[in-house]
Amino acid sequence: MKEATADLLAVEESELGGRKPKGPWARGALFGLGVLWSLFQLWATELGTLDPLRLRAVHLAFALALAFLAYPGRRGPKDRIPLLDWALALLGAVGALYVVLDYYGITQLRGGIPSQRDVFMGTLTLLVLFLAAWRVVGPALPIIASAFILYALTGPKGLLPFTLPPWLQLHAGSTWGQLMGQLYTTAEGIWGVPLGVSATFVFLFVLFGALLEKAGAGRFFIQVAYALLGHFRGGPAKAAVVASAMTGVVSGSSVSNVVTTGTFTIPLMRRVGYPAEKAGAVEVASSSNGQLMPPVMGAAAFIMAEFLQIPYSTLILMAAIPAVLAYATLFITVHLEALLLGLKGVPRSELPPLGPILRGGAHYLLPLLYLIYALVGLKLTPERAALNTLFLMLLLLFLQEGYRAWREGRGLGPGLGTGLRLTLEGLEAGARGMVGIALATASAGVIVGIVTMTGIGFGLVDIVERLSGGNLILVLILAQLTSLLLGMGLPTTANYIVMASLVVPVVLSLAEKAGYAVPPVAAHMFVFYFGIMADSTPPVALAAYAASAIARSDFWKTAVQGFLYELRTALLAYMFFFNPKLLLIGVESLGEGVWIFLTALLGMTAFSASLVGFLHKRTTLPERALLLAAALTLVVPGLFTDAIGLGLLLLAYLVQRVRK
């Protein structure tokens, strides 16, 4: 058990960097830098008038500094900060802040033509950015971005004189100075839309989640789910699904969701009879899907709203039905697994009573309810809604700690002191949790800038059309596989940015040629869903690594089982691609919306039953085939296909009823 706990702590600490220097000066500098970054973001949002380029540059400067100070290299010490890391942190901060210091010269005096000093500082910043991204989010993103840089430099007028085949060489080539002008002195590269979203919306939501966790909301969500569902058949697994959905409302990380809820739910699942691999896999699937759950949905959703040029409040309404379907189907899946394994629930006498839990933590729901109301009801901008929610959260935190101290007879002062300590710890944790997102969005911005500069997307349309023969299903399968492969090395946010820049235009173009009027949001959500699936896809599957550490299970078996559970998410992505009414697009009445939801739920239930091998009883191979056919038929919208799919599902159920 000690070994598993150590593995879990290592995973949890790695989310925030993992370095804990012993020296008071280094420790204080690390803590102070994180708090200062959070305070800067709060000030900038409240001010609301800071120039976007300056805001993004300061945002990245903090991220680069923390990347080298909080994240040790592969063989670097965790208990101290080497001189080299201090130097790299300083170089990164200087490279980013140069844009702030010479803002007038870059934007006004030189008219977009970089000076030699601009090129030098841009080169320095790019190198340090890639080093930091390699250290924090892994080698895949810097390598992919470097490949795009090499592509931009090829051509007859480029730094690299050789050319590519005509169907891929769509530009004349760039010199290094031209490339730095694009990537460093404009808002089309490093300082582009992805980093802008990180510096405005995402930071505040991550900070809100960190403060909510420091206040104790994570434990409250788990206890509520456990008290409500623990006594049912396979109750701890159902509690894991509900707790992860509730945590996912404010968490944008699959791994942090696993280590938050899985610490409690996985041991309970094992206690009632779930095999270790399946207990870990249930937590993997439910935690990964936390990024699908509005109103936060992780950093990628904010970037999606910017790419689509739609209000974020509209996007979360579109995403709500698929998210509910994903969790409802996972709930059904774990119920079928419990029936298959003959599991029982936890005796009611051993469960915590719901009343005291609600009395002690119902106030945690107030910021969440206000956030949803501010986004959907008041239609505030995401940053203003998040800022107001943060102020409400801070007020509740101080009131909570003050009341607890007063009730325990310690006086109001110690309680307010505890509130201040938790606030500062939350500010630091929020900043540390943002390092990877900021670096990923800045690095992905390099890719987006080069895609815009070179027009490579047009060449990809031709390539994919040749490979698929124009068949839309094959195009989607290629997009799915690409997203999963990229996701093995990229964070969800970076994966989505790359896919949205390269693959979504291809999908929309070929869908139009095939005669399908696919709304852009459906294509964006399609690649977003598969990017999330990558968190539970072997061989990387970081969420499965965290879950297997808690469950003391074999990583590969846990990852494969988690991937099988996540296949229902893949089916759901195809469902809303071909039936955008699941995204509330073109729904004309409440009755139509209810019918679409129910048929989708039944189709995904049939898919889960086929996957698990249980409906009314254990399924035979023909019955599994019947259930799979029902599920695939219900993917395609229309009364005729709905009738066939529902008929096949009913037939499978009746066959099981009469079979001995």
Side-chain angles (χ1 to χ4, degrees), residues 344-597:
K344 304 294 183 183
V346 177
R348 280 186 179 273
S349 60
E350 299 180 20
L351 294 173
L354 182 61
I357 294 172
L358 290 176
R359 286 194 295 272
H363 59 282
Y364 295 130
L365 299 175
L366 292 176
L368 293 174
L369 293 174
Y370 172 77
L371 177 61
I372 296 170
Y373 173 66
L375 287 169
V376 179
L378 299 178
K379 297 191 182 302
L380 299 180
T381 61
E383 58 263 46
R384 175 48 61 180
L387 188 65
N388 291 352
T389 307
L390 274 168
F391 290 148
L392 176 60
M393 185 66 235
L394 289 172
L395 176 63
L396 285 174
L397 181 59
F398 278 97
L399 288 174
Q400 168 187 282
E401 296 306 319
Y403 172 72
R404 285 177 179 173
W406 173 79
R407 188 182 60 187
E408 294 167 3
R410 293 185 289 120
L412 189 61
L416 295 179
T418 303
L420 178 61
R421 176 178 59 80
L422 291 175
T423 297
L424 293 175
E425 289 177 358
L427 292 174
E428 188 214 9
R432 283 210 189 194
M434 272 301 301
V435 173
I437 296 173
L439 297 179
T441 50
S443 301
V446 172
I447 298 172
V448 175
I450 291 174
V451 169
T452 304
M453 184 181 186
T454 61
I456 189 175
F458 298 108
L460 279 178
V461 172
D462 291 336
I463 294 170
V464 174
E465 189 169 17
R466 290 179 188 180
L467 289 173
S468 65
N471 185 294
L472 185 58
I473 296 294
L474 289 179
V475 171
L476 292 178
I477 291 173
L478 287 171
Q480 165 190 336
L481 293 175
T482 303
S483 187
L484 287 175
L485 286 171
L486 283 176
M488 290 180 190
L490 300 183
T492 304
T493 304
N495 187 0
Y496 166 71
I497 295 169
V498 174
M499 294 295 293
S501 304
L502 287 176
V503 179
V504 167
V506 176
V507 171
L508 290 174
S509 173
L510 296 180
E512 185 179 358
K513 287 184 179 181
Y516 287 93
V518 179
V521 67
H524 280 262
M525 288 284 286
F526 182 88
V527 299
F528 175 58
Y529 266 51
F530 281 105
I532 288 171
M533 272 191 70
D535 277 353
S536 53
T537 302
V540 179
L542 294 178
Y545 169 72
S548 62
I550 304 170
R552 296 182 61 84
S553 61
D554 179 84
F555 163 76
W556 280 100
K557 291 180 180 178
T558 304
V560 170
Q561 185 64 55
F563 178 75
L564 291 175
Y565 286 147
E566 277 289 80
L567 286 177
R568 78 197 192 290
T569 309
L571 179 67
L572 182 57
Y574 280 92
M575 277 184 163
F576 63 64
F577 186 89
F578 287 106
N579 187 7
K581 290 185 177 181
L582 277 173
L583 302 174
L584 301 180
I585 298 173
V587 176
E588 297 178 358
S589 67
L590 178 62
E592 183 185 15
V594 171
W595 173 256
I596 290 167
F597 177 83

Side-chain angles (χ1 to χ4, degrees), residues 89-171:
L90 181 62
L91 286 174
V94 169
L97 292 176
Y98 171 79
V99 175
V100 179
L101 297 174
D102 198 20
Y103 176 81
Y104 182 72
I106 290 172
T107 58
Q108 302 294 327
L109 293 182
R110 295 189 282 280
I113 301 174
S115 65
Q116 288 186 345
R117 187 176 62 185
D118 295 340
V119 173
F120 173 79
M121 295 303 294
T123 304
L124 172 68
T125 305
L126 192 66
L127 287 172
V128 176
L129 171 62
F130 284 177
L131 282 173
W134 190 298
R135 180 177 291 199
V136 176
V137 299
L141 186 54
I143 290 172
I144 293 171
S146 298
F148 274 84
I149 288 174
L150 289 175
Y151 174 74
L153 297 174
T154 60
K157 296 182 180 180
L159 178 66
L160 304 177
F162 60 85
T163 57
L164 299 171
W167 51 269
L168 190 56
Q169 187 71 59
L170 303 173
H171 63 107

Side-chain angles (χ1 to χ4, degrees), residues 10-23:
V11 171
E12 191 169 13
E13 287 176 7
S14 69
E15 283 275 285
L16 302 179
R19 178 172 273 161
K20 291 184 176 180
K22 293 180 179 179

